[in-house]
Amino acid sequence: MNIAIFGTGVVGRMLASKCSELGHGVAIGTRDIQSSHGSEDLKQFLAGHSEISLRSFPDAAKFGELAINAVSGANSIAALKMAGADNLRGKVLIDISNPLDFSAGMPPTLSICNTFSLGEEIQSTFPETKVVKTLNTMTAALMVYPSLLPGDHNVFINGNESSAKAEVVDLLQQFGWKAANILDLGDISASRGVEMYLPIWLRLYGSLETAVFNIHVVK
Amino acid sequence: MNIAIFGTGVVGRMLASKCSELGHGVAIGTRDIQSSHGSEDLKQFLAGHSEISLRSFPDAAKFGELAINAVSGANSIAALKMAGADNLRGKVLIDISNPLDFSAGMPPTLSICNTFSLGEEIQSTFPETKVVKTLNTMTAALMVYPSLLPGDHNVFINGNESSAKAEVVDLLQQFGWKAANILDLGDISASRGVEMYLPIWLRLYGSLETAVFNIHVVK
């Protein structure tokens, strides 16, 4: 499957590398190809992954049969608008972003929460795209290498369309997630829950002194 | 130790019963003793626990060497003001409330979050009381019977004073919590994290179809 990954940061590169390793066609989408080529990290990454192409947001969106939003929360809506509603129409869009607001320093607050969420805002801005929120509750490496942690721990998934969620569950299983550890929290409004989990994640990150942790729901 | 428990609901009664069973002196505090005596649930509870007294908020606060706020989030500040800053001065106050707002129906939103929290509001309203937030991330039965769930799972704790947190850790261990499963998230501002965990808790409650679940932090 051809996958478009929006965002050239650590999360975007980690997902691109894993999807490519799994045999998918991968294009990384960026706002400005010229300035992205100026980034040393990205230059090295692309040099090591000749099968992954760097494209403009709209070109990446056209390429992808499925798209992944790995742009920062603050820039997600603008980036997806550049990718274009037409190019995303009818496709599954995995949203892994968090609406973190660093403008007042650390710790960040959420720019949107409680009665709305970024996942919902993306879905309502692109009503003909099937938004599925997942993977936003952990550090990048764990998203695609869940076995970095011993034993069972969970990834959450939510969205309005069952068929779209099934497609994402399949991709998560390719990443190494056991079916039993993928928890469906319901429709896209559950994005409030998984995004509002970030403040406790940030506190745990501070206490545990590592980002490589996750939660296991015990029942 | 004499413990004041504010709130006559399920959570208050569960904590009162456990603290009493552990040999502590227990007074349940209520806004209006006469109307509380009219509650059938409470009447039955008190009939079965003759060693537990029902008192006004200020009388319970005077009695307690340590106090527990088990009043609903919406009524917590008013109840604690009735208990009285003088009666709570210098004492540890365990806050297990969540600022849930049910005014617009289900699911509830939070009446305060993101840049402030109920735990912080209580601490700033009662600066001479040592507020420790804990136990708000799970259903009442698990708070005092953690072994209802198999294996390891966590309770969080946060507050500004280490000595107060140590006292609460001791009480949590009496409740059955293993020391290794009690995670200190830092100062009282970490209440934002544990209170903003509620929306995902509510979603999990919907998905799992039981309230008897908790999370284990895996690292």
Side-chain angles (χ1 to χ4, degrees):
Chain A
M1 178 166 56
N2 285 344
I3 300 178
I5 295 170
F6 304 130
T8 59
V10 175
V11 178
R13 297 197 303 268
M14 189 72 80
L15 285 158
S17 153
K18 182 69 175 196
C19 288
S20 178
E21 180 190 313
L22 288 166
H24 298 293
V26 175
I28 295 183
T30 186
R31 189 175 56 82
D32 180 342
I33 292 188
Q34 292 317 313
S35 73
S36 287
H37 272 304
S39 149
E40 207 47 52
D41 283 354
L42 186 61
K43 208 182 288 178
Q44 282 185 21
F45 176 84
L46 291 169
H49 295 82
S50 57
E51 74 290 1
I52 295 175
S53 59
L54 182 69
R55 307 188 185 207
S56 67
F57 281 136
D59 282 350
K62 279 175 205 155
F63 168 86
E65 299 161 85
L66 177 147
I68 302 178
N69 175 38
V71 173
S72 69
N75 296 316
S76 286
I77 295 286
L80 293 168
K81 282 184 174 167
M82 287 178 73
D86 286 349
N87 300 325
L88 295 169
R89 178 169 295 124
K91 296 177 182 174
V92 172
L93 171 64
I94 298 176
D95 174 37
I96 61 175
S97 64
N98 281 303
L100 296 176
D101 177 359
F102 294 90
S103 63
M106 290 298 286
T109 56
L110 299 183
S111 58
I112 181 174
C113 67
N114 203 19
T115 55
F116 207 42
S117 60
L118 185 53
E120 288 166 283
E121 189 182 0
I122 293 172
Q123 181 61 85
S124 65
T125 307
F126 301 91
E128 295 176 279
T129 297
K130 300 163 195 168
V131 180
V132 177
K133 185 111 201 173
T134 191
L135 291 171
N136 71 305
T137 55
M138 66 195 74
T139 197
L142 275 180
M143 295 179 186
V144 293
Y145 298 106
S147 63
L148 281 177
L149 285 180
D152 290 313
H153 51 97
N154 295 107
V155 61
F156 305 106
I157 182 170
N158 66 284
N160 292 342
E161 291 217 20
S162 296
S163 61
K165 285 192 278 194
E167 207 173 312
V168 177
V169 165
D170 182 63
L171 187 62
L172 291 172
Q173 289 186 275
Q174 293 176 41
F175 288 173
W177 288 95
K178 291 187 230 170
N181 287 334
I182 303 170
L183 294 184
D184 187 341
L185 296 182
D187 68 16
I188 196 67
S189 71
S191 302
R192 297 175 204 181
V194 291
E195 293 174 13
M196 290 171 79
Y197 167 76
L198 262 286
I200 193 171
W201 187 93
L202 288 161
R203 281 287 180 161
L204 284 165
Y205 176 41
S207 292
L208 303 173
E209 296 178 341
T210 172
V212 184
F213 69 87
N214 195 10
I215 55 173
H216 178 220
V217 177
V218 183
K219 66 161 188 158
Chain B
M1 177 167 58
N2 285 343
I3 299 178
I5 295 170
F6 304 129
T8 60
V10 174
V11 178
R13 298 198 302 270
M14 189 71 81
L15 286 159
S17 153
K18 182 70 174 196
C19 288
S20 177
E21 181 190 313
L22 289 166
H24 298 294
V26 175
I28 294 183
T30 187
R31 189 176 58 83
D32 180 341
I33 292 187
Q34 292 316 312
S35 72
S36 287
H37 272 306
S39 148
E40 205 49 49
D41 283 354
L42 187 61
K43 208 183 287 177
Q44 281 185 23
F45 176 84
L46 292 169
H49 296 83
S50 56
E51 75 288 1
I52 296 175
S53 60
L54 182 69
R55 306 188 186 207
S56 67
F57 282 136
D59 282 352
K62 280 175 204 155
F63 168 86
E65 298 161 85
L66 176 148
I68 302 179
N69 176 39
V71 173
S72 70
N75 296 315
S76 286
I77 295 286
L80 293 168
K81 283 184 174 169
M82 287 179 73
D86 286 349
N87 300 324
L88 295 170
R89 179 169 294 124
K91 296 177 183 175
V92 172
L93 170 64
I94 297 177
D95 174 37
I96 60 175
S97 65
N98 281 304
L100 297 175
D101 177 358
F102 294 90
S103 64
M106 292 298 285
T109 56
L110 299 183
S111 60
I112 181 174
C113 66
N114 202 19
T115 55
F116 207 42
S117 61
L118 185 53
E120 287 167 281
E121 189 182 0
I122 292 172
Q123 182 61 84
S124 65
T125 308
F126 301 91
E128 295 176 281
T129 297
K130 301 162 195 167
V131 180
V132 177
K133 186 110 201 172
T134 191
L135 291 171
N136 71 304
T137 55
M138 66 195 75
T139 197
L142 276 181
M143 295 178 187
V144 294
Y145 298 107
S147 63
L148 281 177
L149 285 181
D152 290 314
H153 52 97
N154 295 107
V155 61
F156 306 105
I157 182 170
N158 66 285
N160 293 342
E161 291 218 19
S162 296
S163 62
K165 286 192 277 195
E167 208 173 309
V168 176
V169 164
D170 182 65
L171 188 62
L172 290 172
Q173 289 185 275
Q174 292 177 42
F175 288 173
W177 289 94
K178 290 187 230 170
N181 287 334
I182 303 170
L183 294 185
D184 188 341
L185 297 182
D187 69 16
I188 196 66
S189 71
S191 302
R192 297 175 204 181
V194 291
E195 294 174 13
M196 289 171 79
Y197 168 75
L198 262 285
I200 193 171
W201 188 93
L202 288 162
R203 280 288 179 159
L204 285 165
Y205 176 40
S207 292
L208 303 173
E209 296 178 340
T210 172
V212 184
F213 69 88
N214 196 11
I215 54 173
H216 179 220
V217 177
V218 182
K219 65 160 187 158

